[in-house]
Amino acid sequence: MNFKMIRKGTTLPLLCAFGLLSACTSEGTRNETNGAQAAVATTSSDTPATADTTQKVAATPAPADSTAGDSVAAAPAEAPIKDEAADNPGAILPHKRIVAYYGNPLSKRMGILGEIAPDKMLARLDGEVKAWQAADPSTPVQPALHLVFVTAQGAPGKSGTYRMRMSDHLADTVIAWAAKRNAIVFLDIQIGRSTVEAELPRLEQWLKLPQVHLGIDPEFAMKNGAIPGKKIGTLDASEINYATNFLNDIAVKYNLPPKILVIHRFTQRMVTNYKNIKLRPNVQFVMHMDGWGDRVLKKSTYLAYIKKEPVQYTGFKIFYYNDTKKPGSKLYTPKEVLALNPKPMYIQYQ
């Protein structure tokens, strides 16, 4: 990965992240980040940390001769999709395209989900849904709210895991908001130095609901003593397979429609051994291009890390602010995203 490119421009958000909030300028507060602010609610297992996690860093295309991580083999024009779950009653993909708003209601810096008042946020989501429906009338649009429910932290907290669990009330609140639009919900986890195995059991109380699904962010899955925000994290196929098996078991146990798992990615090493990821008969898998930057950079990242390492379905993220930092940059339009090959079936706005 091009670490020089990745770290460029992140100094101010890192100051904000590690408790130096007085150093943040008004420009800094507009940067989209992926951690909740210091005032977020927690469970009794963790004290409130003084840290946000860092902003999502820029998308970084791989060099043509890259040998980092897994090999990057040439992909066919359309990535092959094997989805046994697609024919199950209630399956969302590929019958609908998901358009999601991402963030945390307790932070204005993590994304649109918490940046504006709930009613205004839902109304703006309505507008995006209509735009996507107009761009592809043949594919119905499924609205979604994507809540960062376990947030990575710059401080260890009482658990020593550099992650903060949100309160049950927060999940219930976002699920109630989603119900107003017949939207589905994703609970997203940034595990820090915790593990997927340790964080998922608590989520069963919501994942057993038919409209609730799962997201995992490898950027904040820290190995070898690393601290969130200092390095980009990584998840191996074996850890992802635990999650898909967990979701498959829940779908069977509660007789549910297929669950969806979204894995975020914008570098080679964020996901290792992708060929070993196991697809499940009751789980639909999305590998989601999560980096920010101008349209050329985002497209090259999508082609390098999503198309060339196909798993099942693909996703594409649009940052309202960070994608337009470069002078003259414009947001991807639905029509432009649909020109990608394969066409993303999960669209996320932050």
Side-chain angles (χ1 to χ4, degrees), residues 18 65-66 69 94 96 100 102 113-114 158 272 295 316 333 339 350:
F18 290 93
D65 61 349
S66 172
K96 297 180 181 180
Y102 171 100
L113 182 59
K158 285 186 176 180
T272 55
R295 285 180 288 185
F316 195 88
T333 66
Q350 180 169 338

Side-chain angles (χ1 to χ4, degrees), residues 22-65:
S22 61
C24 300
T25 66
S26 59
E27 179 182 1
T29 61
R30 284 178 61 87
N31 288 336
E32 292 147 321
T33 67
N34 273 16
Q37 292 179 335
V40 296
T42 64
T43 65
S44 59
S45 61
D46 283 300
T47 56
T50 58
D52 279 2
T53 49
T54 62
Q55 69 179 46
K56 182 69 66 177
V57 296
T60 52
D65 61 349

Side-chain angles (χ1 to χ4, degrees), residues 195-210:
T195 64
V196 174
E197 293 90 335
E199 298 304 320
L200 288 189
R202 176 182 174 233
L203 303 189
E204 182 172 346
Q205 61 184 304
W206 298 287
L207 290 171
K208 70 181 182 181
L209 302 174

Side-chain angles (χ1 to χ4, degrees), residues 44 89 107 125-126 140 147 152 163 172 179 183 196 204 234 237 250 269 283 288 290 299 301 304 325-326 341 349:
S44 59
S107 172
L125 176 59
D126 290 342
L147 167 65
R163 63 95 179 97
D172 295 337
V196 174
E204 182 172 346
T234 181
I250 284 180
R269 293 295 298 172
V283 178
H288 176 226
D290 196 25
K299 181 178 180 179
T301 301
K325 282 185 172 183
K326 185 177 178 180
N341 182 4
Y349 287 87

